[in-house]
Each structure stands twice: as structure tokens, then as C-alpha cells.
Amino acid sequence: MLIRKLRLQRIVRGDASASAFMARDPAGFAQCFARYDQEVPWSYVFPRDEAAAFRRYW
């Protein structure tokens, strides 16, 4: 659960468009993030890197 929270924070802090997506469509963002969290192994430390991986996935 903690890793999931950290990933979410890195994504939102690392990419303004992801933050806007979350604000615009919280349910859609949550679904997309849940799939990303299941399918993409945790391997990024910095917000910019995690956000870029999420952006490629999204």
C-alpha cells in the first residue's frame, strides 16, 4: 500500500498533465493508475522517471 501511494505521488508531482488528468477525471485516473500499478514493475525512484513511465503507459 505504501509503495502504491509513493508511486501515485511521484506521478502527480512529476507530470502536470497527469495531475490535470487526476483533477479532471478522478475515476478514470484511478482506473488507469490501478492497471499501471499492476502491470508496470516498480523500479523508478524519481518523480520525473515514474511520471514518464506512466505517461508512456497512459
Side-chain angles (χ1 to χ4, degrees):
M1 184 83 152
L2 181 60
I3 297 297
R4 186 179 269 164
K5 178 185 175 192
L6 292 172
R7 291 185 91 180
L8 177 65
Q9 289 175 339
R10 283 194 301 264
I11 289 167
V12 173
R13 291 179 182 162
D15 186 352
S17 62
S19 181
F21 176 20
M22 187 173 76
R24 180 180 62 252
D25 182 9
F29 180 87
Q31 290 175 348
C32 186
F33 175 74
R35 287 190 313 270
Y36 170 81
D37 188 51
Q38 290 292 317
E39 297 174 13
V40 178
W42 184 76
S43 59
Y44 304 101
V45 175
F46 299 105
R48 180 180 41 192
D49 299 332
E50 184 86 58
F54 180 74
R55 186 76 166 136
R56 286 189 301 271
Y57 177 85
W58 167 25

